[in-house]
Amino acid sequence: MKQKKLSRICMTTVLILLVTLTGCTTPPESESLTVTGTYFDTVVQIEAWGADQEIMEHCLQMCEDYEQMLSATIDTSEISKINNAGGEPVTVSDETAGLIEEGIRYGDISGGRFDITVAPATELWNFTDNEEKTLPNPDELAAAVKHIDYHCVNVDGNTVTLADPEARIDLGGIAKGYIADRLKEYLENEGVEHGLIDLGGNMLTLGGRYDGTNFRIGLQEPFADTGTAMAVVSVNDKSVVTSGDYERYFEKDGVIYHHILDPDTGYPVQNDLDQVTIISDQSVDGDALSTTCFAMGLEDGLQLIRSLDGVEAVFVTKDGEIHTSSDDIELEVLE
């Protein structure tokens, strides 16, 4: 009898060892996995501690799905269907309708400085491969501006209608933040407690690093080589999103033409700022507010941030000075 009992114990031990050695693909919680892809014309990198490869691959699939849903440059996307409907009502998903409503809300908060219908002007600019540094035709740009007004976007449940048939929606100023939030939500539901989501510089952290320290996010020095940090913010379970005039731009006749456009003129915003970084709980807020505050300028931008709960900001003016919305930000300025 004792011999049989001992055999059962040995057999059980062998089975446990086999499962441990051959059936587990999840790395130890102290190790991280990283995946990288390109979506919305930007590099996406996701690092998570304690996640398996299947979870990480699902994150990339989520990015692909959202690009197919929200991109204004993919003909089959829900945004393109709205833009090409000639003012007719279009039924979209709950997420698309909700994100458009969020864009409208930020239009109200910003007094129109953030406008999701800026696409007619954006489409006339080329900030990526414009070797000849050509400007849009002024008459065409003036005509495009007449169709920039987020008030023409009507959302009724899942139905979106453009009151101006020539208006066009572009969620580029808010979509990456929204996607980052959904990725974080998914990872947390899968039990991931530590991670870093990077959507083209839109940074969102899950907790802190596995070793208990905060994540340290570098703030790019404007117009310096990529990766040159002028300061570092220390964050735990926060979003860090930056907008600046050095991200996509060209220079012509001594003037910097960058991708953050003034909805009133169709031309790049011209003010005292080079960069705005928003620190917030939700990345969708950081995405919208970084663009909004850049367009508003230093004083009005600071006033807006200080009126909002749970949001901080770092402004960099063209003279290289750093301005913060409060002393609560853990900021290290590098020499």
Side-chain angles (χ1 to χ4, degrees):
M1 181 67 68
K2 292 182 179 179
Q3 182 69 31
K4 290 183 180 178
K5 187 174 182 180
L6 180 60
S7 297
R8 290 194 190 99
I9 293 172
C10 291
M11 184 66 72
T12 301
T13 302
V14 170
L15 286 173
I16 291 173
L17 285 172
L18 285 172
V19 170
T20 302
L21 292 172
T22 65
C24 180
T25 58
T26 303
E29 290 187 0
S30 59
E31 296 181 9
S32 68
L33 285 179
T34 301
V35 291
T36 304
T38 302
Y39 308 93
F40 283 96
D41 295 323
T42 191
V43 176
V44 173
Q45 181 169 295
I46 304 165
E47 182 179 13
W49 280 257
D52 60 28
Q53 193 63 36
E54 183 178 354
I55 290 173
M56 302 303 287
E57 291 297 332
H58 183 75
C59 287
L60 293 183
Q61 184 60 53
M62 288 176 65
C63 293
E64 170 70 18
D65 293 343
Y66 279 121
E67 182 179 36
Q68 294 298 320
M69 180 191 301
L70 301 173
S71 173
T73 60
I74 296 177
D75 291 339
T76 56
S77 74
E78 293 187 340
I79 297 303
S80 290
K81 290 177 180 178
I82 296 169
N83 290 341
N84 297 329
E88 293 296 317
V90 176
T91 301
V92 298
S93 64
D94 290 344
E95 289 192 275
T96 297
L99 188 55
I100 291 173
E101 288 185 310
E102 188 74 355
I104 293 171
R105 185 174 76 87
Y106 270 104
D108 291 337
I109 290 174
S110 67
R113 305 304 293 167
F114 182 89
D115 196 314
I116 59 173
T117 63
V118 73
T122 302
E123 292 167 354
L124 297 177
W125 288 90
N126 183 352
F127 296 108
T128 54
D129 56 359
N130 191 352
E131 294 184 3
E132 297 181 1
K133 302 180 180 181
T134 56
L135 303 179
N137 180 287
D139 293 335
E140 292 181 1
L141 195 56
V145 167
K146 294 178 181 179
H147 302 291
I148 299 176
D149 185 357
Y150 71 94
H151 293 99
C152 77
V153 184
N154 299 314
V155 182
D156 183 7
N158 290 82
T159 302
V160 181
T161 308
L162 297 179
D164 177 357
E166 295 186 57
R168 295 178 62 81
I169 294 174
D170 184 347
L171 298 179
I174 196 171
K176 287 192 296 182
Y178 175 80
I179 296 167
D181 289 332
R182 300 290 71 77
L183 290 168
K184 179 177 180 178
E185 182 179 59
Y186 166 72
L187 288 171
E188 288 178 334
N189 288 338
E190 293 297 321
V192 176
E193 298 179 354
H194 308 278
L196 180 63
I197 299 167
D198 178 358
L199 270 65
N202 286 29
M203 313 296 288
L204 179 60
T205 68
L206 283 77
R209 302 187 69 87
Y210 179 80
D211 62 7
T213 61
N214 287 349
F215 284 99
R216 289 169 53 82
I217 309 297
L219 304 186
Q220 172 69 34
E221 181 178 342
F223 301 104
D225 292 338
T226 300
T228 304
M230 67 181 303
V232 175
V233 291
S234 179
V235 294
N236 184 301
D237 211 39
K238 293 286 186 179
S239 164
V240 180
V241 180
T242 298
S243 290
D245 56 3
Y246 55 88
E247 295 174 319
R248 283 185 288 142
Y249 75 97
F250 62 86
E251 183 175 353
K252 184 179 178 67
D253 299 329
V255 178
I256 296 293
Y257 295 92
H258 58 84
H259 73 291
I260 305 175
L261 303 184
D262 185 336
D264 293 332
T265 67
Y267 284 95
V269 171
Q270 298 294 332
N271 58 24
D272 53 351
L273 293 176
D274 270 339
Q275 180 190 95
V276 177
T277 297
I278 303 295
I279 304 165
S280 58
D281 292 329
Q282 299 293 317
S283 192
V284 68
D285 296 323
D287 208 357
L289 285 170
S290 63
T291 302
T292 295
C293 289
F294 187 94
M296 295 178 75
L298 177 62
E299 295 303 324
D300 290 343
L302 278 171
Q303 183 176 353
L304 173 61
I305 294 301
R306 287 168 178 164
S307 73
L308 302 174
D309 293 330
V311 180
E312 300 289 356
V314 179
F315 294 76
V316 180
T317 47
K318 292 187 183 302
D319 58 6
E321 292 295 316
I322 296 176
H323 308 260
T324 60
S325 56
S326 79
D327 294 332
D328 295 334
I329 302 172
E330 294 187 42
L331 179 72
E332 177 188 353
V333 179
L334 304 178
E335 296 297 334

